[in-house]
């Protein structure tokens, strides 16, 4: 990674490239908006790097149902099924619930900001390219490499090993890591269409699983399980609604317990912005992306707010199985089902959770490879990563990013639960920094629209909460990042691994940004100079009429998706 960034900063000859911003197979006759980096020419031209005489580029293969399910898949993952174990242990049932509510509001603020920009300009590279256009090429550089780093660390591979440990605790975790890597890499090497179909199926399993678990949780709580034990709000009373973090008494301990939930909750929500990266491969993006963004509201409310509320009713925060470092399956849902005396169901649920880990890992590889492609498209990475097959697969980017899955073999030499905690901490901070960059980009986007007199109500998607929502998201994400590793500063709690995984991404981001500013001598884009017109003609030309539903079944499916 350090070598790649160094090559990008030095701008070796292999790094000069800019693809058409729309990332589709048809060449745009509009001016390509690529500012480049001042003082470090050569200038960027619209040239192709291919393996034949014909240009190969990303193709729009993702349909509405794919985008809809990808947006769901980005919300439901191992963070909800497994990561909530640590959150419940640290914060207690009410601390867990309130933590996810607060994080849910932050996610909504980020997504409405991102949605407005990416629905208007659905270009390859998503928010990475938008940062270059509306803020500064240096911010695009920092966001791009941060985002790539975020998704290259595939925490779900260790989560998969953690889940399979439930059945075979005596088998080396390396076996399960290899199987998961093969599944994930195969899906991604088959292209965006195959990824969309796989994610569609995986997301359907996720939705059915979490919906079934919530319903089952209500039944168990009301005494409908084999043991007929009516739980009610028992665990809210004993051991209590809030956990005393690290044994710290009083309101201070309860507040610290709630605060510790926020970083874990961030890992659960990281991925909602994947629809932006998929914009360059989405059919009819100006119609389909706003639909996906609007449905984020109900998904957060249903899956996370309601899901964490049910978890707090079913398992006491003192349950030792919640400690991921113990190496157990650790899903609060599985723990509750076992406690209720349901024998066969835990294995079935764990199998569903395993498909969730596969899905999330597949999304990680897809996103990291497209982020690397977007970096190469703006000249921030070697242009070899722009090589694509005739079907539009960026196979060099996919192969390179897939090589980092080997980090998951750390789970073979250490506790899979501990490795999962390390990886989730690293991806949480990097993801939060991405959200921070998205909010800053939107604030500048909003300012440019206002200065140039563009009516935001004419955009494909907009909200009335701006720019206040973007400021809310920016402030919260920065504060959470700044204090995410605070627990290591408690007396007797210093842990070098926790400190490094908590603060490495936070330290790396400003280094990347300042380094790019110094090397390329760039300055922020002035509101009056922001380009809101390039690529619009091509984007509109890519839109095709949707066939109306032929019957009530198709009409219902169209409404659902």
């Amino acid at each position: 990674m350090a070598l790649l960034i160094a090559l990008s900063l030095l701008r070796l000859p292999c790094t000069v490239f800019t693809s058409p911003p729309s990332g589709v197979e048809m060449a745009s006759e509009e001016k390509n908006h690529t500012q480049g980096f001042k003082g470090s020419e050569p200038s960027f031209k619209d040239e192709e790097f291919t393996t034949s005489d014909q240009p190969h580029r990303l193709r729009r293969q993702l349909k509405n149902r794919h985008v809809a399910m990808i947006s769901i898949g980005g919300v439901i993952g191992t963070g909800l099924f497994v990561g909530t174990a640590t959150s419940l242990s640290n914060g207690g049932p009410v601390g867990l619930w309130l933590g996810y509510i607060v994080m849910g509001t932050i996610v909504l603020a980020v997504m409405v900001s991102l949605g407005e920009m990416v629905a208007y300009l659905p270009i390859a590279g998503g928010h990475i390219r938008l940062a270059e256009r509306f803020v500064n090429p240096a911010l695009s550089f920092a966001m791009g490499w941060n985002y790539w780093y975020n998704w290259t660390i595939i925490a779900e591979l260790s989560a998969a090993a953690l889940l399979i440990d439930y059945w075979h605790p005596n088998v080396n975790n390396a076996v399960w890591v290899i199987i998961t890597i093969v599944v994930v890499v195969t899906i991604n090497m088959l292209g965006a269409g195959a990824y969309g179909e796989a994610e569609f199926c995986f997301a359907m399993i996720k939705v059915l699983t979490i919906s079934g678990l919530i319903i089952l949780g209500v039944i168990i709580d009301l005494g409908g399980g084999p043991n007929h034990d009516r739980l009610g709000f028992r665990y809210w009373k004993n051991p209590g609604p809030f956990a005393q973090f690290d044994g710290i008494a009083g309101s201070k301990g309860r507040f610290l317990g709630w605060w510790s939930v926020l970083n874990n909750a961030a890992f659960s929500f990281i991925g909602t912005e994947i629809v932006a990266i998929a914009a360059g491969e989405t059919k009819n993006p100006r119609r389909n992306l706003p639909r996906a963004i609007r449905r984020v509201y109900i998904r957060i409310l249903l899956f996370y707010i309601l899901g964490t509320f049910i978890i707090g009713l079913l398992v006491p925060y003192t349950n030792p199985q919640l400690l991921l470092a113990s190496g157990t399956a650790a899903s609060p849902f599985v723990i509750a089902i076992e406690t209720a005396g349901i024998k066969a169901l835990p294995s079935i649920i764990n199998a569903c959770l395993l498909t969730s880990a596969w899905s999330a890992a597949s999304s990680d590889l897809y996103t990291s490879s497209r982020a690397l492609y977007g970096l190469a498209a703006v000249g921030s990475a070697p242009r070899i990563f722009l090589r694509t097959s005739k079907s539009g697969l960026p196979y060099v980017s996919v192969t390179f990013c897939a090589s980092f899955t080997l980090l998951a073999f750390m789970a073979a030499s250490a506790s899979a639960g501990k490795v999962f905690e390390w990886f989730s901490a690293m991806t949480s901070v990097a993801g939060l920094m991405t959200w921070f960059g998205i909010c800053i980009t939107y604030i500048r986007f909003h300012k440019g629209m206002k200065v140039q007199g563009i009516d935001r109500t004419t955009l494909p998607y907009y909200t009335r909460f701006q720019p206040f929502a973007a400021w809310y998201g920016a402030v919260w994400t920065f504060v959470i990042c700044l204090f995410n590793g605070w627990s290591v500063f408690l007396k007797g709690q210093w842990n070098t691994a926790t400190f490094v995984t908590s603060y490495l991404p936070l330290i790396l981001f400003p280094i990347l940004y300042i380094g790019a500013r110094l090397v390329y001598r760039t300055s922020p884009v002035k509101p009056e100079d922001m380009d809101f017109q390039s690529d619009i003609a091509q984007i509109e030309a890519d839109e095709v009429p949707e066939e109306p539903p032929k019957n009530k079944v198709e009409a219902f499916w169209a409404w659902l998706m």
Side-chain angles (χ1 to χ4, degrees):
M1 177 180 176
L3 178 59
L4 279 174
I5 296 174
L7 286 173
S8 302
L9 285 170
L10 290 173
R11 185 165 296 286
L12 294 180
C14 66
T15 66
V16 182
F17 176 86
T18 297
S19 67
S22 62
V24 295
E25 63 268 28
M26 295 175 289
S28 172
E29 295 180 359
E30 294 291 314
K31 177 189 71 172
N32 287 326
H33 176 78
T34 307
Q35 293 186 2
F37 296 110
K38 299 176 182 178
S40 60
E41 294 345 277
S43 61
F44 301 138
K45 297 180 180 180
D46 184 19
E47 53 183 314
E48 295 298 329
F49 190 97
T50 62
T51 56
S52 69
D53 294 331
Q54 299 299 320
H56 303 155
R57 307 178 186 175
L58 298 184
R59 297 173 181 260
R60 296 193 184 275
Q61 303 178 49
L62 298 177
K63 302 175 183 178
N64 178 43
R65 61 186 179 90
H66 295 152
V67 176
M69 283 303 177
I70 287 172
S71 65
I72 291 179
V75 176
I76 306 174
T78 53
L80 175 60
F81 293 129
V82 179
T84 46
T86 300
S87 296
L88 178 59
S89 177
N90 290 339
V94 177
L96 167 71
W97 191 42
L98 293 179
Y100 272 79
I101 289 176
V102 171
M103 187 54 66
T105 64
I106 298 171
V107 173
L108 287 177
V110 173
M111 289 305 295
V112 296
S113 302
L114 178 62
E116 189 170 317
M117 295 187 293
V118 80
Y120 178 67
L121 284 169
I123 56 180
H127 48 274
I128 299 171
R129 300 288 299 279
L130 295 173
E132 177 207 15
R133 180 175 289 199
F134 300 118
V135 185
N136 190 311
L139 181 63
S140 174
F141 182 91
M143 284 182 63
W145 282 110
N146 175 79
Y147 200 62
W148 174 81
Y149 161 84
N150 175 26
W151 291 105
T152 301
I153 305 299
I154 304 179
E156 283 75 12
L157 294 176
S158 55
L162 182 65
L163 289 164
I164 301 177
D165 270 348
Y166 175 81
W167 294 297
H168 304 286
N170 297 322
V171 177
N172 193 305
N173 285 328
V175 176
W176 316 130
V177 170
I178 291 173
I179 293 173
T180 305
I181 289 176
V182 170
V183 171
V184 169
V185 174
T186 300
I187 290 173
N188 276 269
M189 289 303 290
L190 292 176
Y195 163 75
E197 293 295 344
E199 192 61 22
F200 178 82
C201 296
F202 282 143
M204 287 292 290
I205 295 174
K206 289 182 185 182
V207 172
L208 293 175
T209 300
I210 187 61
S211 300
L213 287 174
I214 289 174
I215 295 172
L216 179 62
V218 173
I219 294 173
I220 292 175
D221 185 67
L222 296 178
N227 61 0
H228 301 294
D229 183 13
R230 184 183 177 90
L231 299 175
F233 287 86
R234 177 190 304 172
Y235 299 132
W236 285 39
K237 299 177 181 179
N238 183 24
F242 291 93
Q244 303 294 148
F245 188 85
D246 196 37
I248 301 173
S251 58
K252 180 180 179 181
R254 292 190 291 272
F255 172 79
L256 294 178
W258 168 77
W259 186 265
S260 69
V261 172
L262 291 179
N263 196 54
N264 292 326
F267 174 75
S268 300
F269 284 110
I270 296 297
T272 52
E273 75 289 340
I274 287 178
V275 291
I277 287 292
E281 296 175 272
T282 301
K283 294 181 178 180
N284 295 333
R286 286 193 151 191
R287 286 201 297 270
N288 293 332
L289 292 177
R291 292 175 183 174
I293 298 293
R294 290 188 185 102
R295 293 189 177 101
V296 169
Y297 296 87
I298 189 63
R299 289 160 189 161
I300 290 176
L301 179 64
L302 176 63
F303 299 135
Y304 277 99
I305 307 305
L306 183 58
T308 52
F309 176 77
I310 296 299
I311 287 174
L313 296 177
L314 300 178
V315 182
Y317 67 79
T318 54
N319 191 307
Q321 286 183 279
L322 294 173
L323 303 177
L324 293 181
S326 65
T328 62
S331 171
F333 288 111
V334 173
I335 295 172
I337 293 170
E338 285 183 325
T339 304
I342 305 175
K343 297 182 178 179
L345 197 55
S347 292
I348 297 175
I349 297 300
N350 221 51
C352 294
L353 303 191
L354 180 60
T355 64
S356 174
W358 285 350
S359 168
S362 178
S363 294
D364 289 357
L365 182 54
Y366 171 85
T367 308
S368 63
S369 62
R370 270 46 176 195
L372 187 56
Y373 180 93
L375 280 165
V378 295
S380 295
R383 83 175 198 176
I384 191 174
F385 294 117
L386 288 158
R387 284 183 180 269
T388 58
S389 65
K390 292 181 180 180
S391 62
L393 172 70
Y395 60 91
V396 177
S397 292
V398 173
T399 303
F400 179 77
C401 294
S403 66
F404 286 85
T405 60
L406 300 178
L407 290 173
F409 283 104
M410 291 172 62
S413 59
S415 164
K418 195 63 182 175
V419 173
F420 177 71
E421 286 185 328
W422 290 341
F423 283 176
S424 63
M426 296 170 73
T427 55
S428 293
V429 180
L432 286 169
M433 292 307 299
T434 294
W435 291 354
F436 173 78
I438 289 172
C439 291
I440 295 300
T441 302
Y442 179 82
I443 291 169
R444 298 291 297 162
F445 172 87
H446 185 276
K447 179 68 173 178
M449 284 253 168
K450 186 176 181 180
V451 169
Q452 296 189 25
I454 300 175
D455 184 5
R456 291 176 47 249
T457 61
T458 62
L459 301 182
Y461 174 81
Y462 86 102
T463 62
R464 295 183 175 88
F465 306 117
Q466 298 293 6
F468 308 107
W471 279 109
Y472 175 83
V475 171
W476 265 107
T477 52
F478 179 77
V479 171
I480 294 173
C481 282
L482 188 61
F483 294 102
N484 81 93
W486 57 270
S487 61
V488 299
F489 298 108
L490 296 176
K491 186 176 182 180
Q493 295 298 315
W494 176 259
N495 185 295
T496 303
T498 302
F499 177 80
V500 171
T501 56
S502 297
Y503 287 107
L504 178 62
L506 182 61
I507 296 172
L508 183 63
F509 192 90
I511 290 176
L512 290 174
Y513 177 74
I514 295 172
R517 284 290 300 270
L518 294 176
V519 173
Y520 301 128
R521 301 173 186 175
T522 59
S523 58
V525 182
K526 296 179 180 179
E528 58 270 21
D529 295 333
M530 292 179 184
D531 182 5
F532 291 98
Q533 299 303 320
S534 293
D535 313 312
I536 296 299
Q538 184 62 54
I539 291 169
E540 292 176 346
D542 289 343
E543 296 286 332
V544 296
E546 290 186 352
E547 295 183 5
K550 300 177 182 179
N551 49 55
K552 292 184 178 180
V553 175
E554 289 187 2
F556 173 77
W557 183 255
W559 170 82
L560 183 64
M561 291 291 104

